Amino acid sequence: MIAGAILTPDGFVQGKLHIDHATGRVASIVGRPIAQDAVLRSGLPWVLPGFIDTHVHGAGGADVMQGRAALPTIARTVARHGTTAFLATTMTAPADELAQAVAGVGAYMREAAASRQQGAARVLGVHLEGPYLNSVRLGAQPDFVRHAALAELGELCALAPIALLTLAPEVDDHVALIPALRERNIRVQLGHSNASYEEACAALAGGAGGFTHLFNAMSALHHRAPGMVGAALAHAEFAEVIPDLLHVHPGGLRVALRSIPKLFCVSDSTAATGMPDGPYLLGRQAVHKCLGGVRLADGTLAGSTLTLDQALRNLVHEIGLTVAEASMRVSTYAADYLGLTERGRLCVGAYADMVVLNAGLEVRQVMVEGVKIELADV
C-alpha cells in the first residue's frame, strides 16, 4: 500500500494505492480528489507513474554495448532514480559488435521475463540508434554508418525486440524502407540527420513517428530552410528531448513544449551516470565526465549524466511546468509513443510502477511491478 497524492489519469487523488503483489499491478486507488496547489500546501508525498526512458546508453559505470553483463547494473542504477522501464540504446558499431550487444539485451530480457525482476527497471527492448545515420551529423556516434538493410535488421530482430530505430531519412532510399520497418512493429525516429524540411516531412508521411533528441545532431531551423527541427516543430506529435539544460537551452525547451503536443524527456544517459567525474566509455568512444556533462576529447557533448528524476525537477523548477504536466513528459507520453497502455499511468490494472517524491521532488520510494527498489545508493 502506498499513500499520498496519487496522480491518476483523472488528476490527483489524496488516498491510498493498493497493489496486487501476485500480478504486480494496481488493485485499487481509494481516496478523494485533491488539487495540485493543495498538495503543495499539505506537504503530502507525490505518487507518480514510474518514469519511462526511451534512450539509455548506460549508467553506473556500465554501457549497453558491453552486452548482457552490463544490463543489471544499468537497470538497477536508473531504477534508483525513478525510471521503472527503459529501452537499452546502442551505438553505431560494426555489424558483429552491434549484434553482440543486441543479443545481450535479448538474453537479459528473457531471463528477466522468466522470473519477476527484483530491484531493477524493466528493459522493454532495444533502441537502435544507428547505424543508419548521416555521417555529417554523427554527434558522438563513431563513424560506422551504413545503409539500412532489411536483412541485417531481420537478424537483429531475431536477437532481441527492436522497439525503436533512429534513421537519417535523406540517405539513399531510407524513406522507402520506413513502411517495411513499421510492418515489423519497429517505430522509426528521425535523427542524426541533415535532412531538409521536405525530406523530413516525407519521412513522417511514410510512417516515421518521432525525433531523436530534438535539436541535437540534426539540421537546424532557419526561416528559409526549416530543416529537420522545423519539420518537428511544425508537424510532430511526439519527439524526444534531453532536458539537462546543457543539450538544449531552456528557451529551446519552451519552444518545443509549445509546438509538440507529446514532447517527452529522455536521459541519453551514459556509463558516467551516477558515477564520479573521470573517463568512461560510450560504446567505442572515450568520453570524460566533468562539469555536469559528458564530452568527447574535442568538447562534443556525448550523451549525458541526466536521470529522469532530475529531468522532472528541471521541468518544474526551471521551465515552470506543473508536477502533473512534468510527470506526463517523463512517463505517460513515452508510454503512449511505444503503445504501452499498462505503463506510464496509475490506474486499476496497470503495472504498479511508481515513484514517490517528497515536497522537493526528491525520490523517496520506487516500485517496479509492485517490487520495492533499494535506494541506498541514491
Side-chain angles (χ1 to χ4, degrees):
M1 185 271 292
I2 302 292
I6 304 160
L7 182 58
T8 75
D10 297 319
F12 282 100
V13 169
Q14 180 180 351
K16 297 177 181 179
L17 182 151
H18 297 274
I19 301 166
D20 180 348
H21 289 283
T23 63
R25 295 175 183 266
V26 177
S28 65
I29 299 174
V30 180
R32 61 179 181 82
I34 183 172
Q36 288 192 66
D37 56 355
V39 178
L40 290 169
R41 292 193 301 270
S42 71
L44 286 167
W46 304 94
V47 183
L48 307 181
F51 309 145
I52 298 174
D53 196 340
T54 64
H55 202 134
V56 174
H57 288 287
D63 185 286
V64 168
M65 296 302 293
Q66 294 169 339
R68 161 68 184 82
L71 270 298
T73 297
I74 298 168
R76 287 194 299 268
T77 303
V78 300
R80 292 170 187 146
H81 294 274
T83 294
T84 55
F86 69 97
L87 296 182
T89 304
T90 61
M91 292 287 284
T92 296
D96 57 341
E97 292 182 19
L98 187 59
Q100 181 180 11
V102 172
V105 177
Y108 178 78
M109 291 180 66
R110 288 189 294 274
E111 293 165 16
S115 61
R116 291 268 302 281
Q117 267 184 313
Q118 300 293 311
R122 178 68 69 179
V123 179
L124 300 174
V126 174
H127 175 175
L128 207 63
E129 192 181 8
Y132 314 125
L133 311 177
N134 191 321
S135 60
V136 305
R137 292 285 184 177
L138 285 175
Q141 294 276 347
D143 193 1
F144 293 102
V145 300
R146 49 192 177 273
H147 302 153
L150 291 178
E152 181 181 24
L153 280 166
E155 293 171 359
L156 293 173
C157 288
L159 299 173
I162 308 298
L164 193 58
L165 169 69
T166 293
L167 190 74
E170 75 279 11
V171 176
D172 289 343
D173 59 349
H174 283 180
V175 170
L177 291 177
I178 293 174
L181 297 173
R182 295 298 297 121
E183 287 177 6
R184 294 172 181 256
N185 203 32
I186 299 173
R187 284 171 172 76
V188 176
Q189 286 191 165
L190 308 180
H192 288 279
S193 167
N194 208 35
S196 67
Y197 171 87
E198 290 77 13
E199 288 167 330
C201 288
L204 291 174
F211 293 80
T212 296
H213 43 51
L214 181 67
F215 297 112
N216 301 117
M218 62 178 61
S219 47
L221 172 67
H222 183 278
H223 59 287
R224 286 191 293 272
M228 181 165 280
V229 170
L233 297 177
H235 301 290
E237 180 181 10
F238 294 97
E240 297 180 351
V241 72
I242 308 170
D244 61 354
L245 309 182
L246 288 175
H247 279 79
V248 181
H249 187 281
L253 289 173
R254 292 187 175 97
V255 169
L257 286 163
R258 286 175 65 96
S259 303
I260 300 175
K262 293 189 175 182
L263 183 78
F264 60 90
C265 298
V266 297
S267 66
D268 201 4
S269 64
T270 64
T273 302
M275 301 295 287
D277 285 359
Y280 296 92
L281 286 176
L282 175 58
R284 283 186 170 213
Q285 302 280 58
V287 299
H288 198 90
K289 177 183 177 180
C290 62
L291 303 175
V294 184
R295 297 178 185 271
L296 300 178
D298 65 3
T300 300
L301 283 169
S304 83
T305 61
L306 183 67
T307 54
L308 288 192
D309 59 329
Q310 185 60 54
L312 179 86
R313 289 189 290 271
N314 288 348
L315 292 179
V316 174
H317 297 149
E318 304 297 332
I319 305 302
L321 299 190
T322 66
V323 172
E325 174 68 8
S327 175
M328 300 283 277
R329 305 285 179 181
V330 296
S331 182
T332 310
Y333 293 154
D336 291 348
Y337 180 54
L338 295 174
L340 305 175
T341 60
E342 298 175 318
R343 299 187 194 271
R345 63 211 85 224
L346 294 177
C347 57
V348 174
Y351 283 110
D353 293 350
M354 68 193 82
V355 55
V356 181
L357 308 166
N358 65 13
L361 300 181
E362 299 164 320
V363 174
R364 288 295 174 261
Q365 188 173 351
V366 180
M367 301 194 83
V368 176
E369 298 178 11
V371 178
K372 189 174 181 179
I373 299 298
E374 175 58 55
L375 300 181
D377 295 335
V378 172

